[in-house]
């Protein structure tokens, strides 16, 4: 019973990451092309035009004490991070953006976005991965706690990699289904791996030499973990699929 979505209303650049969220039965609640927010029928939400242009977005539910409240989190390498609060109890159940909590700036560098459920199931973590838009050999990961009253930074990790100079920006990032492993790919044919503590919100144990695709330099466009978190898949240049066994780290 998913309502029809007016796909024609989306205007997404090739480097943008739109986002959507459904209820527990899989019915669409709302979605965003990063800079506009639409209800389940494809109509722009009241207050749904976000003025400051961003590139990436992710939707994270507020902790369970606020079942109607969601965070639309957006990122841009130049203008950083912001969030807007969507209240699904408003606008006859179709949702509306809280005007007092719209495009709230937080954090430092923008980057690619991941979410992880907290180990005690009390809420969610937001993970932001960046390499200063390609101008740094450090891969930076900042972990934020998504709370009822905002988003708070809890830990940071910066790891140096001798990346090659092509494809300077992050290609893709992924987190495993059990929220214990993180993968990131950028600057050619390397994939970095990390462990994640979903109880404390801490990234640790990076593999310093990363995974090397053992071939000519190509852009890794997609990363995905297997359901059991023991395999990692990468797609490069649109048609190269590689499977890695990461069970022994």
């Amino acid at each position: 019973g998913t309502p029809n979505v007016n796909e024609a209303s989306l205007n997404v650049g090739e480097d943008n990451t739109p986002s959507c969220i459904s209820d527990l039965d899989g019915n669409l609640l709302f979605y965003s092309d990063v800079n506009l927010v639409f209800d389940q029928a494809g109509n722009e939400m009241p207050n749904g035009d976000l003025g400051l242009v961003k590139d990436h977005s992710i939707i994270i539910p507020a902790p369970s004490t606020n079942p109607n409240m969601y965070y639309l989190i957006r990122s841009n390498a130049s203008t950083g991070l912001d969030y807007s609060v969507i209240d699904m109890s408003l606008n006859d159940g179709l949702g509306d953006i809280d005007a007092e909590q719209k495009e709230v700036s937080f954090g430092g560098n923008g980057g690619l976005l991941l979410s992880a459920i907290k180990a005690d199931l009390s809420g969610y973590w937001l993970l932001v991965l960046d390499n200063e838009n390609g101008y740094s050999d450090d891969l930076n990961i900042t972990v934020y706690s998504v709370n009822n009253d905002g988003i708070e930074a809890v830990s940071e990790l910066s790891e140096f990699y001798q990346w090659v100079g092509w494809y300077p920006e992050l290609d893709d990032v992924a987190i495993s289904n059990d929220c214990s492993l993180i993968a990131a790919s950028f600057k050619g044919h390397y994939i970095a791996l990390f462990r994640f503590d979903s109880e404390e919100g801490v990234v640790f144990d990076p593999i310093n030499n990363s995974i090397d695709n053992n071939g000519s330099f190509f852009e890794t466009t997609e990363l995905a973990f297997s359901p059991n978190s023991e395999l990692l898949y990468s797609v490069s240049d649109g048609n190269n699929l590689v499977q890695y066994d990461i069970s022994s780290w």
Side-chain angles (χ1 to χ4, degrees):
T2 301
N4 292 327
V5 176
N6 179 14
E7 295 182 359
S9 65
L10 285 173
N11 182 17
V12 182
E14 62 180 11
D15 295 325
N16 282 12
T17 52
S19 53
C20 66
I21 194 163
S22 65
D23 63 19
L24 294 177
D25 295 321
N27 297 306
L28 179 68
L29 293 176
F30 65 92
Y31 63 101
S32 174
D33 70 350
V34 181
N35 299 305
L36 295 170
V37 185
F38 302 89
D39 64 25
Q40 60 183 228
N43 300 311
E44 185 179 321
M45 272 189 187
N47 298 312
D49 187 349
L50 304 176
L52 188 59
V53 174
K54 302 284 186 177
D55 301 315
H56 309 291
S57 67
I58 193 170
I59 299 168
I60 298 180
S64 57
T65 52
N66 286 320
N68 292 311
M69 179 173 150
Y70 298 84
Y71 288 92
L72 171 64
I73 301 163
R74 305 188 306 149
S75 172
N76 178 274
S78 300
T79 59
L81 301 158
D82 70 20
Y83 70 82
S84 299
V85 172
I86 288 87
D87 187 341
M88 292 303 295
S89 68
L90 302 177
N91 192 27
D92 295 326
L94 293 175
D96 191 357
I97 293 181
D98 184 340
E100 295 183 358
Q101 298 189 80
K102 179 178 178 179
E103 297 183 79
V104 179
S105 297
F106 72 100
N109 292 332
L112 297 188
L113 309 174
L114 293 172
S115 65
I117 193 166
K118 294 183 177 179
D120 62 2
L121 307 183
S122 64
Y124 294 85
W125 304 109
L126 166 71
L127 296 90
V128 182
L129 294 85
D130 79 272
N131 67 330
E132 298 179 13
N133 203 28
Y135 293 103
S136 172
D137 285 324
D138 290 333
L139 179 54
N140 308 304
I141 306 178
T142 307
V143 182
Y144 297 85
S145 177
V146 179
N147 305 316
N148 286 322
D149 54 355
I151 299 175
E152 177 187 10
V154 296
S155 70
E156 295 181 0
L157 180 144
S158 291
E159 187 69 18
F160 174 80
Y161 289 94
Q162 189 60 51
W163 300 100
V164 295
W166 297 272
Y167 311 118
E169 298 179 28
L170 286 169
D171 290 323
D172 195 25
V173 295
I175 189 165
S176 61
N177 286 350
D178 63 3
C179 298
S180 68
L181 304 173
I182 299 169
S185 174
F186 66 111
K187 286 194 175 180
H189 57 187
Y190 295 105
I191 301 169
L193 293 174
F194 304 84
R195 296 190 191 278
F196 181 63
D197 182 342
S198 60
E199 182 174 353
E200 300 295 331
V202 175
V203 180
F204 65 103
D205 198 14
I207 292 185
N208 290 314
N209 60 356
S210 308
I211 289 174
D212 188 337
N213 281 344
N214 294 317
S216 60
F217 296 105
F218 35 60
E219 188 174 5
T220 301
T221 54
E222 301 289 341
L223 294 172
F225 287 93
S226 63
N228 64 8
S229 304
E230 294 182 356
L231 301 171
L232 176 68
Y233 295 88
S234 74
V235 176
S236 303
D237 287 350
N239 59 6
N240 271 332
L241 175 64
V242 183
Q243 179 196 71
Y244 301 97
D245 182 352
I246 56 172
S247 59
S248 63
W249 205 233

